Amino acid sequence: MAKVSWFRRFQDPITMPDGRIIRTIGEAAEYAVSLPRKVGNTEPWQLAARVLQEAAEHGGPFVFMARVCFAKAVLFGEKPRRRSPTRTAGRAKEAKAEVGEKSVKLPRKGTFKRARSGVSSVHS
């Protein structure tokens, strides 16, 4: 049976969304255990838990893998940031004002084709 060391350090610490810094496998495992069951039972967290265990037992490349899996699980839990419609509309108005209130027609999808020389060109 291998010696388990929860004090193995990650090469680069992980900064959590709340500002906390995770430096060791043990700190990552404590964070994962403290999650609500519904979150902890998701696939990314289950994978992170398995790899954290392997890293504690074997070290080496498992520590790197544990860091990657843990960071992915943390990012999976964050909600995607959406742009507000007013900000997007505001940018369109600003762009229109810069052009001088002229409407700008963008090329349709598929109008850019790769030329044989490898340089892109526009076809009318």
Side-chain angles (χ1 to χ4, degrees):
M1 187 168 164
K3 181 181 175 186
V4 179
S5 175
W6 293 101
F7 299 107
R8 295 182 200 267
R9 288 186 163 279
F10 293 123
Q11 188 172 1
D12 297 316
I14 301 168
T15 304
M16 303 300 288
D18 62 0
R20 189 176 353 172
I21 297 176
I22 304 291
R23 292 184 174 86
T24 66
I25 297 169
E27 291 173 356
E30 286 176 10
Y31 181 86
V33 170
S34 70
L35 293 171
R37 184 170 286 187
K38 185 176 182 181
V39 175
N41 284 337
T42 60
E43 187 177 334
W45 282 110
Q46 290 294 309
L47 177 61
R50 284 193 304 270
V51 180
L52 283 167
Q53 180 69 37
E54 291 290 326
E57 291 176 2
H58 305 291
F62 287 105
V63 177
F64 176 75
M65 287 292 296
R67 184 189 185 288
V68 170
C69 290
F70 184 81
K72 284 180 87 171
V74 169
L75 291 175
F76 177 77
E78 284 188 358
K79 294 185 179 183
R81 296 181 184 133
R82 295 184 181 184
R83 291 184 181 173
S84 67
T86 54
R87 281 187 60 198
T88 308
R91 288 184 185 154
K93 288 178 186 175
E94 290 172 12
K96 205 173 205 181
E98 288 175 9
V99 176
E101 296 299 325
K102 295 179 184 176
S103 63
V104 178
K105 188 173 183 181
L106 298 175
R108 283 191 270 159
K109 184 178 179 182
T111 56
F112 290 100
K113 296 187 179 181
R114 187 174 294 275
R116 290 186 184 207
S117 64
V119 179
S120 296
S121 61
V122 177
H123 297 281
S124 300

